[in-house]
Amino acid sequence: AVRGRTRSPTPETRFPRVTTIPDPRTHGPGLFLFRKCRYRCISIMATKLRKAIIPAAGYGTRFLPLTKTIPKEIVPVMDKPIIHYIVEEALGSGIEEIIIVTNNTKDLLRSYLIDIPEFKSHLRFINQTGPYGSATPIKNAQQFIGDEPFVVLLGDELFLADVPRPAQLMEAFEKTRSPVLGVIETDDDGTSRYGIVDPHDPKPESIFRLFDFFEKPGPENAPSRLASIGSYLLTPDIFEAIERIQPAANGEYQLTDAFRILMEKRPFFGCQLKGDYYDVGTKLGWLEANIAMAMRDPEMQKALHDDLRNR
Ligand code: G1P
């Protein structure tokens, strides 16, 4: 504790610091000085997107009983685990370091990923510590991010596109120099499953300013039918916003509440993503993703088509 001050439930205690070996790239003296003048230096903040965070500590209750022993990120779509596609998406966008925030019940996830030669040198695993909620893994990874923009990719989504999501978000960031959420169009049902953004404009451009964000508001309260899916390009000021979050009704610290805090202070953008999205954390989404992947294989395509038609 700081001398003369008693320790209160400050964010420092809410989100305990993760202990791992310090990385000289993020802990060198130069970066320390840079961090001290963070706010003045924001305009010269590094703009290359080099880092990604993949939160992967969730229990996967929607896939019980399988997820009692198999981490949900290892559930396969065709012949590869979901997380394999997500890591490929990040590396395919030029990301150099991927921080996977997990827990020590997920040895299988770790051993699968480090066994892939192209992945191994790009991965850093840390254990999640702190309160429940989507803000916690991001806060845990803060010490490895430094003063750089970074991308967050959720561990239970599959996005098939010619240009991977981080590269699409980076293009928007280069234009806006602001945080960008990847969005897709959704329907009434989707307003209860996803975070919905408020662009004020009913027909926004492909990159557009966001004014508010509502977590699963339902069709009546949703300001649009544009859903934020789990791909966010964020700037380091998100960490300060996370410290100001109040727990939601279910007691969780939601990353999306930090988006709202930041939107009051600075421009924040949405980017309509080009590609096909599958919510593989749900059984239907997982099945659809498998069918979509099979339909991409010319040999399987016909057999699958015939089989489905004859059912
Ligand atoms: C999370 C986010 C939500 C987003 C969704 C996309 O919700 O909080 O804003 O739309 O991912 O999958 P979750 O699926 O963890 O409930």
Side-chain angles (χ1 to χ4, degrees):
V2 179
R3 210 170 356 130
R5 264 175 40 198
T6 50
R7 259 177 106 79
S8 57
T10 58
E12 199 62 33
T13 52
R14 269 203 230 140
F15 299 102
R17 203 171 160 78
V18 179
T19 44
T20 40
I21 303 155
D23 180 342
R25 287 168 299 176
T26 51
H27 285 73
L31 261 148
F32 175 70
L33 290 174
F34 187 72
R35 196 168 294 148
K36 282 198 103 173
C37 66
R38 181 168 54 174
Y39 295 103
R40 269 179 294 130
C41 292
I42 201 89
S43 58
I44 56 160
M45 176 183 71
T47 52
K48 190 172 177 321
L49 184 62
R50 299 192 309 127
K51 295 181 182 176
I53 303 174
I54 303 180
Y59 294 115
T61 43
R62 288 183 289 193
F63 264 96
L64 282 169
L66 179 69
T67 43
K68 277 206 301 198
T69 44
I70 309 273
K72 66 173 176 171
E73 298 80 10
I74 289 291
V75 172
V77 171
M78 291 284 279
D79 54 354
K80 288 191 283 190
I82 292 161
I83 192 120
H84 189 120
Y85 296 95
I86 298 174
V87 171
E88 276 180 343
E89 213 185 346
L91 297 180
S93 300
I95 285 182
E96 293 158 17
E97 182 174 348
I98 303 172
I99 300 148
I100 299 186
V101 188
T102 180
N103 64 47
N104 48 22
T105 67
K106 299 211 185 186
D107 288 346
L108 203 55
L109 168 71
R110 202 179 297 234
S111 56
Y112 175 84
L113 289 175
I114 60 174
D115 205 36
I116 296 172
E118 314 85 276
F119 289 2
K120 200 176 167 187
S121 64
H122 297 282
L123 303 177
R124 179 196 290 278
F125 294 90
I126 61 172
N127 279 336
Q128 181 165 323
T129 56
Y132 282 118
S134 51
T136 298
I138 310 309
K139 188 70 185 152
N140 287 163
Q142 178 176 3
Q143 61 185 298
F144 304 108
I145 295 296
D147 286 286
E148 298 187 28
F150 61 98
V151 73
V152 176
L153 296 169
L154 299 187
D156 49 11
E157 299 188 345
L158 184 68
F159 197 79
L160 302 177
D162 296 338
V163 180
R165 282 178 298 178
Q168 294 188 38
L169 296 176
M170 189 61 194
E171 213 183 306
F173 178 75
E174 274 161 7
K175 294 191 179 118
T176 61
R177 312 270 300 184
S178 298
V180 189
L181 306 183
V183 305
I184 56 165
E185 270 186 32
T186 191
D187 53 16
D188 284 1
D189 282 352
T191 61
S192 306
R193 284 214 313 270
Y194 302 113
I196 302 293
V197 299
D198 184 358
H200 277 190
D201 179 348
K203 283 224 168 293
E205 307 272 303
S206 59
I207 298 167
F208 57 94
R209 177 99 188 252
L210 296 185
F211 295 92
D212 212 340
F213 185 101
F214 298 89
E215 184 65 12
K216 308 182 180 112
E220 259 103 76
N221 298 322
S224 75
R225 294 293 180 268
L226 290 171
S228 146
I229 56 166
S231 56
Y232 316 128
L233 193 158
L234 301 174
T235 45
D237 47 2
I238 194 71
F239 297 116
E240 196 202 42
I242 289 176
E243 289 170 5
R244 294 175 44 214
I245 301 173
Q246 294 301 315
N250 61 4
E252 294 190 5
Y253 287 82
Q254 301 278 13
L255 179 62
T256 50
D257 285 336
F259 297 165
R260 298 190 80 185
I261 292 172
L262 217 48
M263 269 172 214
E264 283 176 11
K265 282 185 20 190
R266 65 167 298 159
F268 212 105
F269 287 80
C271 166
Q272 306 210 41
L273 296 168
K274 295 184 185 72
D276 298 324
Y277 167 77
Y278 301 93
D279 185 356
V280 283
T282 69
K283 284 173 198 156
L284 182 63
W286 172 81
L287 203 54
E288 286 168 346
N290 276 280
I291 293 171
M293 289 302 288
M295 293 302 261
R296 291 181 157 216
D297 177 329
E299 266 179 41
M300 255 190 232
Q301 196 185 65
K302 187 171 179 318
L304 183 67
H305 222 262
D306 293 347
D307 186 67
L308 288 175
R309 217 184 3 232
N310 294 335
R311 254 159 223 284

